[in-house]
Amino acid sequence: SLPHMNNGPSSVFLVRHGEVLNPGNVVYADLPGFPLSLTGRRQVEDSAERLPHRATIVTSPVLRAVETATIIARGFTPRPLP
């Protein structure tokens, strides 16, 4: 149990990254790089509006995933950990 979380019911929201900048149509799966395109950023912003604004965010270190998590976190209300 994480100390900053209550013991009540929880929800888990899984969000996949938006469209990536991939002009060469490379199958990028686990390859590093491939940042979000402008369309991908808009997709993430639209998704972020549908999520609750209090959560713990977990992301992989892949650039497109970190960009996605960063965009989603912008709308969150910061709260200190106890």
Side-chain angles (χ1 to χ4, degrees):
S1 173
L2 298 173
H4 64 284
M5 298 178 72
N6 65 28
N7 292 327
S10 298
S11 295
V12 175
F13 298 90
L14 301 176
V15 178
R16 190 171 188 273
H17 62 80
E19 177 187 275
V20 297
L21 187 59
N22 186 5
N25 292 320
V26 173
V27 178
Y28 55 83
D30 294 331
L31 296 175
F34 297 96
L36 295 176
S37 66
L38 291 177
T39 298
R41 289 179 172 279
R42 282 189 223 108
Q43 291 169 336
V44 174
E45 289 166 355
D46 290 345
S47 295
E49 291 176 10
R50 295 177 178 88
L51 296 171
H53 290 215
R54 282 186 65 194
T56 298
I57 297 176
V58 180
T59 183
S60 83
V62 176
L63 175 61
R64 57 193 169 268
V66 172
E67 286 180 308
T68 298
T70 301
I71 291 168
I72 290 171
R74 285 184 196 146
F76 282 20
T77 303
R79 59 187 169 142
L81 296 177

